[in-house]
Amino acid sequence: MDVIDAPAWWIEVLKSRARFNRAISILHSYSLLEVSAGQYSLYTCEHDWTLEYLNREFEQERCRIAIHCVAANVSWESEGEYWIRHRRVLPHARRFKHTRIKAAIDWSGIEPEDLDQFTFLYKQNNMNAEAEQMCMRALRGYEKARGLEHTSTLNTVNKLGILYADQGKMAEAEEMYRRALRGYEKAWGLEHTSTLNTVNNLGILYADQGKMAEAEEMCMRALRGYEKARGLEHTSTLDTVNNLGTFYADQGKMAETEEMYIRALRGYEKAWGLEHTSTLNTVDNLGTIYAKQGKMAEAEEMYTRALRGYEKAVGKVHPKTQIIFRNLEKLQAYK
């Protein structure tokens, strides 16, 4: 939403930090607003009361502004410490799951780019059903506004494939990936990185389905393409190296698996730093491989490092943190 589209009162409030703080201070002084760690929100009971008694006529324009404001504060994985901002934004995004709000919103009037942001935020927080719903809305928006073969449409088709795969909907995932791949090959060519991303996704999907020959073919095609297009240390290359490690692990090829994971880890540490979730995921993978090889000391070191990192990044109650915690407990009990 451009500033020119915003209502006058909104423009006035945002003219300066002082004006914004003054408005927030007034709301807080009347106990209408909760302020915590740089976050501002209505108390839950007041929010529900406002919905029930004040907003008898639902205002689509204000809702559109609210959705855009939340979407504009979603950070992508390429941004440092994106998970910290997500922890602040997520409670606001969850309010749009409120039964009355969800039913009243005219989703066809929401910008598909904003819906894309919600998709990513929900996915990062394991809210896959909500992410799928947002992604479908974004896809319909792009198809209507830009056509079936526009790259924005294809990007969303690819994202929908990822969401289906995460939920075990393999047939639907393959359908989306193949649609995206055909579109990318036509629009960008065989070696474009968008094409390679989908090739990589298909490789992961085939591995999950036990189609090992097809999986290795796709992963190797993606890796050769990334190395040529972006170099040996680019994060896209490293993601594929990490995926190959997982592929080899599923086949019981432990030496090749360890080699791939160590290469990916060194690259991630250099590209993202020690505490990025991509780095921590590979640390966790190495812990699992060391445990399977009977290298208990190395496995414990990796699991402990991954656990501390995830606790800091996404919190102790996050599903990924809990899985690592349980794996570490089992390892220590076995010792």
Side-chain angles (χ1 to χ4, degrees):
M1 179 186 64
D2 295 329
V3 173
I4 195 171
D5 297 326
W9 63 267
W10 182 257
I11 295 172
E12 284 297 314
V13 168
L14 295 181
K15 272 187 175 178
S16 69
R17 169 60 68 175
R19 285 174 183 257
F20 176 78
N21 287 340
R22 186 161 58 249
I24 292 296
S25 178
I26 292 171
L27 292 170
H28 187 253
S29 68
Y30 283 98
S31 298
L32 294 173
L33 196 68
E34 182 178 17
V35 180
S36 175
Q39 303 177 63
Y40 312 102
S41 61
L42 282 174
Y43 290 102
T44 302
C45 61
E46 290 167 350
H47 199 289
D48 291 341
W49 179 85
T50 302
L51 281 173
E52 183 65 27
Y53 294 103
L54 296 185
N55 293 344
R56 295 197 178 275
E57 292 186 9
F58 195 84
E59 295 188 36
Q60 294 291 342
E61 179 59 19
R62 290 193 179 185
C63 185
R64 186 178 71 86
I65 292 170
I67 289 173
H68 178 77
C69 287
V70 174
N73 281 282
V74 174
S75 300
W76 292 93
E77 287 179 327
S78 57
E79 300 177 50
E81 298 187 332
Y82 68 92
W83 54 86
I84 296 175
R85 177 175 282 190
H86 282 186
R87 284 205 298 266
R88 297 202 305 265
V89 172
L90 187 60
H92 300 286
R94 282 190 170 128
R95 294 304 298 176
F96 295 103
K97 293 175 56 186
H98 190 287
T99 303
R100 183 167 177 244
I101 295 177
K102 188 166 62 174
I105 295 173
D106 176 15
W107 292 102
S108 65
I110 306 301
E111 292 294 329
E113 291 84 358
D114 289 342
L115 297 173
D116 258 346
Q117 296 289 85
F118 270 76
T119 298
F120 178 70
L121 179 64
Y122 285 149
K123 182 181 183 300
Q124 286 298 310
N125 288 276
N126 293 300
M127 299 164 64
N128 286 327
E130 293 84 353
E132 180 185 335
Q133 190 175 44
M134 284 294 180
C135 196
M136 287 295 298
R137 289 168 179 152
L139 179 57
R140 287 193 291 268
Y142 283 127
E143 287 176 338
K144 181 179 179 180
R146 300 181 183 179
L148 298 178
E149 295 185 346
H150 192 277
T151 52
S152 296
T153 306
L154 298 173
N155 291 342
T156 308
V157 169
N158 189 57
K159 291 172 191 173
L160 189 56
I162 295 171
L163 287 168
Y164 284 143
D166 287 345
Q167 297 175 84
K169 300 177 180 179
M170 299 303 183
E172 294 91 334
E174 185 170 358
E175 180 185 355
M176 291 298 103
Y177 286 154
R178 288 197 168 279
R179 174 182 167 186
L181 183 58
R182 287 192 299 269
Y184 284 138
E185 288 177 338
K186 181 178 179 181
W188 296 124
L190 298 178
E191 295 185 345
H192 192 275
T193 52
S194 294
T195 307
L196 297 173
N197 290 342
T198 307
V199 168
N200 186 50
N201 290 340
L202 267 171
I204 297 169
L205 184 71
Y206 286 144
D208 289 340
Q209 292 175 307
K211 301 175 181 178
M212 295 306 178
E214 295 92 331
E216 186 167 13
E217 179 186 355
M218 291 292 106
C219 285
M220 289 305 299
R221 174 184 166 185
L223 181 58
R224 288 192 295 268
Y226 284 134
E227 288 176 337
K228 180 180 178 181
R230 292 183 167 174
L232 299 178
E233 296 185 343
H234 192 275
T235 53
S236 296
T237 307
L238 298 173
D239 289 343
T240 308
V241 169
N242 189 65
N243 292 338
L244 268 171
T246 302
F247 168 73
Y248 288 139
D250 290 340
Q251 294 182 301
K253 299 178 179 178
M254 294 303 168
E256 293 89 336
T257 300
E258 186 176 348
E259 179 186 354
M260 291 296 104
Y261 282 158
I262 289 174
R263 175 183 167 185
L265 179 59
R266 288 172 180 160
Y268 284 139
E269 287 176 336
K270 183 176 179 181
W272 294 126
L274 300 179
E275 297 183 342
H276 192 277
T277 52
S278 294
T279 307
L280 297 172
N281 184 57
T282 306
V283 170
D284 178 43
N285 289 342
L286 267 173
T288 301
I289 292 304
Y290 287 143
K292 288 181 178 178
Q293 291 176 305
K295 301 177 180 178
M296 298 306 178
E298 294 90 335
E300 185 173 3
E301 180 185 355
M302 293 294 105
Y303 279 148
T304 301
R305 175 182 167 185
L307 180 62
R308 288 173 180 164
Y310 272 108
E311 285 178 341
K312 182 177 179 180
V314 295
K316 292 184 177 181
V317 299
H318 192 277
K320 180 66 175 180
T321 310
Q322 290 294 305
I323 290 170
I324 298 171
F325 176 77
R326 288 193 292 272
N327 287 341
L328 182 58
E329 271 195 328
K330 291 177 184 175
L331 184 74
Q332 291 171 337
Y334 179 80
K335 286 176 64 180

